[in-house]
Structure formats: structure tokens, C-alpha cells
């Protein structure tokens, strides 16, 4: 990178900031100087318009367009071929199955480990430190996590010393080193481990906050009744944090359905590890099969739909209470 | 890593007066246990051991990569990082190679770091400003259909990024690209390939969640404050800048961190909207590329991976209490 490049980039950022500031400044100016007639509506428009315009251009229109593209072939004729391909090609079917495996395992295991950990360290010494350790992967990119775990799964052939931790453990116990990333079906599960590694901290933080919200009196009362720790956990704590459990499970499920970077970095979807989100990218942007990519995106949408609708219902109930 | 002082992670004491009274008392109970009250330890020895094991398992992969990034290439290739005491050797060559080397085969991360910073700056700022404006409108300007529109905006989270990519790319290439080309002709120092598409894409995709989280906070500002200002003849613009923004600073800060880390760590948007060259592409994209082409060059991969993590980790460790609050803002209420 030359100095001229750097200057060019800084100039771009400065110009971007200037243009953005000008737009916002103009908006606020118009909001304050809006014509007397229908002033409220002008002000409302001023506040809402930028966000709504962005959402229409960036999400609503594209979503509709993608839904249409899914039913077209590359020359624009209407067809169902994209979906037929998705549900008949062995590789595509495998992609669907893998996605289902991901969404079954990642949310449940992350939540279970996160919950157990949150309960175990609750009010123990060094709780904050414990939390930071588990939560840290949230700040690491999926790509970075991909590199970290590729290193753990690294394979060395023959009698050479293993530099991947997992194979080193296998060898230490007298086993043969395995090419983890190329061995179907265990490779999918090893990729799932990476996602669990990232998401558990998220589950733990939310659940820990929820646990602290459970009234101490209830736990004390249960204690006086002579219950043991497990009974108190099942009968007092879990019902008390049910709402948060649902939120954690749904949030992680949605994140898992959309997971792309991990698969991309670790196997690029080879060796039967692809998932819908990755296959969508491969089809639409690598193989120029826009129709197939769109069909996969639409399927992803349909899978996310029930989860989000459930959350919307929860939200609407909350707003009615207010 | 261990030198980093663990800060206050869970919902802090300074979470503000905007929480419901019931929750606040519950919180005080918890805080109170620390000093005075009898410790109601639910934990046992087994629990301590299990949590210790989990903590260790969670740290080891990162730790191994971190150690390796300082080892000479031959040692990484031939020995496990856990044999560091038998195979002693540390070096900064890996970092020098990926950052400073000018040879065409080295990753030359410098340019990509600048890109990541540039992308994250405006990719965070734009949605933040527009979202707080929209959140204010939803919370404090009365209009017909406000509720329905708000639920619609929340519902937009339903749309996976993947659905928006193809058409948005088409929109950008028909409208934005010509504008960029024109700008390049007028001000030649601005490259034709620039950050605008990535900024806009991040802003668009970040908005639904931003509006939702900020609305949660802004709508709970006591209405007396707003009403009083209205009575004094303040315009919406004045209320927004003089009252709402200062009061909502904690929420805005937490979302800013959230969005910053998200944008910094993103790969998908970058892959599709950046063009993949040194001019625009961020660190994550370069790193992913390196994995693809030089997946066995562990001395470079480890160092590059750590460079890509440093800024989000600094943000995370220094601002985690706000970050966590941002996470909790929409979630625990569900």
C-alpha cells in the first residue's frame, strides 16, 4: 500500500462522513423548518424516511425480487426447475440435511452448556472472569474462529508429529490420526463444534442475567422445603427463566440457519459439509446459477419464518401490555 | 489474555433508572449478596470442576493459535504448540511478514486493516443515526399505524441476508456504480472501486435490529420530560438532539459496539459488495482468501488471524459492559 493509496482511502472516509453529515443536517433543517401546514407529518417523514427508504431498497424490494428469481431460469422464463434441483440433486439434498443437523444441534447444545455454566458459576468467586472467558469468542469473527479450529483439526500424515490438538490427543491414546475435515459425516459435527464454541457465551450471558432475576425468596422457600439443588433448578430456576430460554434458543437458531463463514473458511462446503447459506453463495455468486441461489435463499426464509413469527407474537403481546 | 482485568460483565449497576422497579430490586438483591447476606451457593465442588473444565476447553484453541503465531515457521510445521517448552523458540517474524513484507506473495495486511477500519466506521455510524431517528419517531411522534409499521420493521429481521444479496447487487451496479465512476472522473484520487456499496449494505442490514433495540430504550424515557419540552415549544428536532440523544447515550453506545464488531467480523457482505481487491476488501476477506490458497502456511495464518482479532477484542474487553447491555436490551424482556 502506497501513501497515495492511504490518502485516497482517508479522503474517501472523510467524503463519506461529509456527505452523510450533509444529508442528516439537511434533514434536520427541513424537520425544524417544515411548512406549518401538516407540520407533524413532515417531521414524521423526516425522521422515518431515511430508515424506511434504506429498508425498502435493502431488504423489502430485494426479498420480493429474490422470491421471483427463484421461480425463473437464467433467461427469465418461469420454471420450477430450481426447486426440483434443490430437492432431487444428492448434493443439494445433503445440504438441506446438513442445515437441519446444524439447527438441531447448535442451539440445544450451546444453550445446555451455557445454562449449566451460568448456574455453576453463579455467585462463585471469579464469576466475572469465568464469564469473560466463555464470552470472548463472540468478539472473534467466524473467519478467525475458522482458522483457530482448523488448526485444532490439522492433520499430519504418516509418523510425523501431529500439530493439530485433536489428532495429537487421538495419537496419544494410541489411535490413528484422522483427516477430520475430509471425513464424512464427522466433519459436519466438527464444524458444528465451532459454532457451539461461539454461541455458548451468548447463551451463557443472557441466561446468567435471567438467573439473577429469579427471586431469591423462591429459592430460599424451596430450600426450606428440603429440596436438593437439582430439584430447585428444575422447579424454580428453569420456570423462572423460561422466557429467556426461548429467546436464546430462537436467536441461536436463526444465527445457525444463516451460518456461512464457518463452512466457507473451513471446508468451503466440500466433503459433504455444505449448508444452505453456503450453497446459496456458491450457486448465485460462483456458479452464476442465480435462480438456484434464490431458491435456496427462499428456502432459508421459509425455515426462519416460523421462528421469527413466534418472536413477533411475543413482541406484540408485550406491546399490548404496555 | 489473562492480564486483562475482568470487568463487570452482567447487567451493571449503572443500567439506569429506566428498568422496571421490580427488576431493580431483584438486581439489588444480587448485588447485596456480595457483601452482607449469606451466600446461597448452589454450587458444589463438582460444579466448580465442571465449569473450570469448560473454561479451559473454551480457551485452549485460541491460546494455541496465539502461541503458534509467535513460533518460527519450521517449529509450527513440525511440532505441536504444546511442546513449546521442549521446542523453545519465539519470533516476531510471522507478524512482520504478514504486515510489513512488500513481496508480492506475502499477505500485505496493512491495506486491508485500513479497509476494515474505514468500513466499520461508516458501517456503524450510518445505521446508528438513521435508526435512532426512526426509533424516536416510533416512540414519540404519534401517527396512525405506528404499531403496525414498527412490528413490520421488527419483522424484517425475518429476511435472511442471503435473500437480499442478488437484487441489491443489481441495484448497486445499475445506480451506484455509474455514480462512483462519475465521482472518480471528477475527483481522480477517489478510486472507482470504493467503500460506498459496503457501507450502504451494512447500514441497510443493520437497521431492523438497531431500530428495535434503540426503540426499547428511547420509548422508556419518562414522558414528562418530553411533554415539558413540547409545552415549551421545542421542535422534534430540538427534542431529539437536546433530550433524547443525551439520555439514550448508553443504549446508543451499546448498539454502536455491537454493530462495530458485527461489521468488523462480517465476511458475506464483504465478499459480495467489496470486489475483493486491496482497494476495498476488509481483513476477514483477506484471511478467508489466505485459508483457501495457503491453508498450510500456519505461520502466516496464525499471525494474520490474530491481527484480525485484535481490534474487536480490544473493543470487547474495554467496553464489554456496554456490549453486554446491548445484547440484553432486546432479549431478556422476551
Amino acid at each position: 500500500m502506497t501513501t497515495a493509496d492511504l490518502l485516497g482511502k482517508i479522503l474517501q472516509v472523510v467524503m463519506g462522513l461529509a456527505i452523510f453529515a450533509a444529508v442528516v443536517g439537511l434533514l434536520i433543517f427541513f424537520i425544524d423548518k417544515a411548512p406549518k401546514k401538516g407540520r407533524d407529518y413532515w417531521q414524521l417523514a423526516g425522521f422515518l424516511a431515511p430508515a424506511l427508504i434504506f429498508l425498502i431498497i435493502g431488504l423489502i424490494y430485494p426479498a420480493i425480487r429474490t422470491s421471483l428469481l427463484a421461480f425463473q431460469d437464467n433467461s427469465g422464463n418461469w420454471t420450477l426447475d430450481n426447486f426440483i434441483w434443490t430437492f432431487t440433486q444428492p448434493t443439494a439434498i445433503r445440504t438441506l440435511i446438513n442445515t437441519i443437523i446444524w439447527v438441531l444441534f447448535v442451539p440445544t447444545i450451546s444453550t445446555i452448556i451455557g445454562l449449566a455454566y451460568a448456574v455453576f458459576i453463579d455467585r462463585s468467586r471469579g464469576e466475572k472472569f469465568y464469564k469473560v472467558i466463555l464470552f470472548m469468542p463472540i468478539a472473534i469473527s467466524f473467519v478467525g474462529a475458522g482458522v483457530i479450529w482448523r488448526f485444532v483439526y490439522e492433520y499430519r500424515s504418516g509418523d510425523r508429529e501431529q500439530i493439530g490438538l485433536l489428532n495429537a490427543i487421538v495419537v496419544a491414546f494410541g489411535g490413528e490420526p484422522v483427516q477430520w475435515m475430509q471425513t464424512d459425516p464427522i466433519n459436519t459435527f466438527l464444524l458444528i463444534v465451532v459454532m457451539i464454541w461461539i454461541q455458548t457465551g451468548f447463551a451463557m450471558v443472557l441466561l446468567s442475567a435471567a438467573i439473577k432475576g429469579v427471586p431469591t425468596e423462591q429459592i430460599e422457600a424451596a430450600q426450606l422445603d428440603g429440596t436438593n439443588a437439582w430439584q430447585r433448578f428444575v422447579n424454580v430456576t428453569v420456570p423462572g427463566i423460561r422466557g429467556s430460554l426461548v429467546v436464546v434458543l430462537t436467536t441461536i437458531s436463526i444465527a445457525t440457519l444463516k451460518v456461512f463463514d464457518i463452512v466457507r473458511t473451513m471446508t468451503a462446503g466440500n466433503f459433504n459439509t455444505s449448508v444452505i447459506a453456503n450453497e446459496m453463495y456458491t450457486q448465485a455468486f460462483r456458479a452464476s446459477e442465480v435462480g438456484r441461489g434464490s431458491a435456496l435463499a427462499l428456502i432459508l426464509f421459509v425455515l426462519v419464518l416460523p421462528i421469527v413469527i413466534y418472536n413477533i407474537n411475543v413482541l406484540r403481546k408485550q406491546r399490548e401490555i404496555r | 489474555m489473562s492480564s486483562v482485568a475482568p470487568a463487570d460483565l452482567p447487567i451493571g449497576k449503572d443500567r439506569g433508572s429506566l428498568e422496571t422497579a421490580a427488576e431493580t430490586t431483584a438486581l439489588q438483591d444480587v448485588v447485596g449478596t456480595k457483601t452482607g447476606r449469606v451466600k446461597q451457593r448452589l454450587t458444589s465442588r463438582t460444579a466448580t470442576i465442571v465449569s473450570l473444565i469448560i473454561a479451559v476447553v473454551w480457551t485452549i484453541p485460541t491460546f494455541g493459535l496465539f502461541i503458534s503465531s509467535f513460533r518460527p515457521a519450521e517449529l509450527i510445521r513440525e511440532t505441536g504448540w504444546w511442546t513449546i517448552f521442549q521446542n523453545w523458540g519465539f519470533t516476531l517474524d510471522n507478524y512482520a511478514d504478514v504486515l510489513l513484507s512488500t513481496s508480492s506473495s506475502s499477505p500485505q495486511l496493512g491495506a486491508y486493516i485500513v479497509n476494515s477500519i474505514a468500513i466499520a466506521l461508516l458501517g456503524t455510524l450510518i445505521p446508528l443515526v438513521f435508526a435512532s431517528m426512526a426509533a424516536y419517531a416510533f416512540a414519540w411522534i404519534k401517527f396512525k399505524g405506528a404499531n403496525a409499521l414498527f412490528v413490520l420493521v421488527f419483522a424484517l429481521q425475518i429476511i435472511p441476508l442471503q435473500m437480499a444479496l442478488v437484487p441489491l447487487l443489481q441495484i448497486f451496479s445499475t445506480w451506484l456504480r455509474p455514480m462512483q465512476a462519475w465521482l472518480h472522473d471528477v475527483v481522480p484520487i477517489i478510486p472507482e472501486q470504493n467503500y460506498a456499496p459496503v457501507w450502504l449494505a451494512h447500514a441497510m442490514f443493520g437497521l431492523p435490529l438497531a431500530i428495535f433495540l434503540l426503540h426499547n430504550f428511547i420509548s422508556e424515557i419518562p414522558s414528562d420530560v418530553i411533554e415539558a419540552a413540547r409545552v415549551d415549544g421545542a421542535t422534534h428536532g430540538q427534542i431529539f438532539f437536546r433530550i433524547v440523544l443525551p439520555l439514550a447515550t448508553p443504549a446508543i453506545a451499546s448498539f454502536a459496539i455491537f454493530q462495530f464488531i458485527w461489521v468488523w467480523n462480517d465476511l458475506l457482505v464483504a465478499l459480495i459488495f467489496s470486489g475483493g481487491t486491496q482497494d476495498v476488501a476488509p481483513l476477514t476477506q483477506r484471511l478467508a482468501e489466505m485459508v483457501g490458497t495457503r491453508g498450510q502456511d500456519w505461520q502466516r495464518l496464525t499471525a494474520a488471524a490474530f491481527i484480525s482479532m485484535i481490534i474487536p477484542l480490544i473493543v470487547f474487553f474495554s467496553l464489554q459492559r456496554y456490549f453486554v447491555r446491548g445484547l440484553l436490551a432486546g432479549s431478556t424482556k422476551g
Side-chain angles (χ1 to χ4, degrees), chain A residues 31-32 43 47, chain B residues 136 140-141 218 221 225-247:
Chain A
I31 287 170
D32 270 4
Q43 295 187 329
F47 274 105
Chain B
Y136 171 75
W140 294 107
I141 303 179
I218 289 176
I221 293 172
V225 181
I226 311 266
E227 296 303 328
R230 294 295 291 163
V231 172
D232 289 347
T235 62
H236 279 302
Q238 287 164 335
I239 295 177
F240 178 68
F241 275 104
R242 306 241 172 96
I243 298 173
V244 172
L245 280 192
L247 283 178

Side-chain angles (χ1 to χ4, degrees), chain A residues 1 6 9 11-13 15-17 20 24 28 32 43-44 46-48 50-51 54-55 57-63 65-67 69 113 117 119-121 123 128-141 143-144 147-152 154 156 160-165 168 196-197 200 202 205-206 209 212 216-217 220 223 232 243 247 258 260-261 265 277 280-281 284-285 290 297-298 300-301 304-305 308 312 314-316 318-319 322, chain B residues 6-10 30 34 40-43 47 50-52 54-55 58-62 65 68 76-83 111 114-115 118 122 125-126 129-130 133-134 136-138 141 143 147 150-151 154-156 158-159 162-171 189-191 194-195 199-200 203-205 207-208 212 215 235-237 240-241 265 267-268 271-272 278-279 291 295-296 298 309 312-313 316-317 320 323-324 327-328 331 333-334:
Chain A
M1 186 176 57
L6 183 63
K9 284 176 183 181
L11 183 69
Q12 277 184 58
V13 174
M15 276 195 65
L17 283 169
F20 179 64
V24 174
I28 297 296
D32 270 4
Q43 295 187 329
L44 180 65
F47 274 105
L48 272 184
F54 267 36
L55 289 176
I57 297 178
L59 287 170
I60 297 175
Y61 165 78
R65 180 108 180 88
T66 298
S67 312
L69 283 173
I113 299 180
Y117 192 79
V119 172
F120 288 160
I121 64 167
R123 296 177 210 178
K128 289 164 192 167
F129 181 72
Y130 271 119
K131 276 187 173 168
V132 171
I133 284 184
L134 209 67
F135 192 58
M136 192 184 63
I138 294 272
I140 297 174
S141 67
V143 183
V147 175
I148 290 176
W149 283 89
R150 266 177 69 104
F151 196 50
V152 173
E154 179 73 355
R156 283 284 184 270
R160 295 168 66 197
E161 192 179 341
Q162 296 299 325
I163 66 164
L165 188 59
I196 292 173
W197 181 71
T200 301
F202 169 79
V205 165
L206 292 194
K212 298 200 184 299
T216 345
E217 295 78 31
E220 279 164 4
Q223 219 163 10
R232 285 197 294 278
V247 169
K258 298 181 193 170
F260 160 82
D261 327 40
T265 341
M280 183 270 158
Y281 174 80
F285 297 99
V290 174
L298 194 61
L300 197 61
F301 173 73
V304 177
L305 198 66
V308 182
I312 293 172
V314 173
L315 173 78
R316 282 181 57 183
Q318 275 178 6
R319 287 178 69 81
R322 270 187 202 159
Chain B
D8 191 10
L9 236 170
V30 175
K34 232 182 177 167
Q40 299 287 335
R41 288 283 304 269
L42 294 169
T43 48
V50 171
S51 43
L52 206 64
I54 296 178
W58 247 250
T59 331
I60 278 185
T62 321
L65 199 79
S68 297
I76 301 185
R77 261 198 302 275
E78 298 303 331
T79 59
W81 56 267
W82 52 91
T83 65
V114 177
N115 292 341
L122 268 99
L125 188 68
I126 299 174
V129 172
F130 285 170
M133 289 174 70
Y136 171 75
F138 278 122
I141 303 179
F143 61 100
N147 255 335
F150 181 72
V151 170
F154 176 77
L156 284 179
I158 224 175
I159 299 176
Q162 279 82 358
M163 270 192 103
L165 300 176
V166 176
L168 195 59
L169 193 64
Q170 287 170 346
I171 294 177
I189 196 172
I190 294 182
N194 62 33
Y195 300 122
W199 285 337
L200 290 176
M204 289 162 172
F205 298 146
L207 269 174
F212 175 67
H215 173 271
T235 62
H236 279 302
F240 178 68
F241 275 104
N265 286 338
L267 175 65
L268 184 58
L271 270 180
I272 286 158
Q278 272 203 13
D279 296 336
V291 174
Q296 292 304 314
W298 282 111
M309 291 172 202
L313 280 180
F316 169 77
F317 278 115
Q320 48 164 316
F323 181 50
V324 170
L327 276 182
L328 295 177
S331 322
K333 299 194 169 166

Side-chain angles (χ1 to χ4, degrees), chain A residues 87-259:
Chain A
F87 291 107
T88 52
Q89 278 289 310
T91 53
I93 292 174
R94 188 57 205 266
T95 303
L96 295 181
I97 294 173
N98 281 344
T99 305
I100 292 169
I101 296 176
W102 275 76
V103 89
L104 285 181
F105 280 89
V106 177
T108 43
I109 298 181
S110 313
T111 309
I112 289 170
I113 299 180
L115 180 60
Y117 192 79
V119 172
F120 288 160
I121 64 167
D122 193 33
R123 296 177 210 178
S124 71
R125 275 183 59 195
E127 178 178 351
K128 289 164 192 167
F129 181 72
Y130 271 119
K131 276 187 173 168
V132 171
I133 284 184
L134 209 67
F135 192 58
M136 192 184 63
I138 294 272
I140 297 174
S141 67
F142 285 10
V143 183
V147 175
I148 290 176
W149 283 89
R150 266 177 69 104
F151 196 50
V152 173
Y153 300 151
E154 179 73 355
Y155 163 81
R156 283 284 184 270
S157 58
D159 290 332
R160 295 168 66 197
E161 192 179 341
Q162 296 299 325
I163 66 164
L165 188 59
L166 191 56
N167 268 325
I169 293 172
V170 168
V171 171
F173 282 98
E176 284 289 307
V178 184
Q179 290 197 314
W180 299 112
M181 285 299 96
Q182 298 171 25
T183 311
D184 177 29
I186 195 164
N187 49 12
T188 292
F189 288 94
L190 290 174
L191 296 187
I192 286 175
V193 166
V194 182
M195 189 67 172
I196 292 173
W197 181 71
I198 295 172
Q199 297 291 345
T200 301
F202 169 79
M204 181 271 299
V205 165
L206 292 194
L207 295 175
S208 168
I211 288 172
K212 298 200 184 299
V214 176
T216 345
E217 295 78 31
Q218 288 184 13
I219 294 174
E220 279 164 4
Q223 219 163 10
L224 287 178
D225 289 344
T227 52
N228 63 30
W230 174 251
Q231 288 167 327
R232 285 197 294 278
F233 173 71
V234 171
N235 297 319
V236 183
T237 310
V238 170
I241 60 170
R242 181 160 288 146
S244 295
L245 272 175
V246 170
V247 169
V248 167
L249 279 170
T250 56
T251 315
I252 299 182
S253 302
I254 294 174
T256 307
L257 277 173
K258 298 181 193 170
V259 74

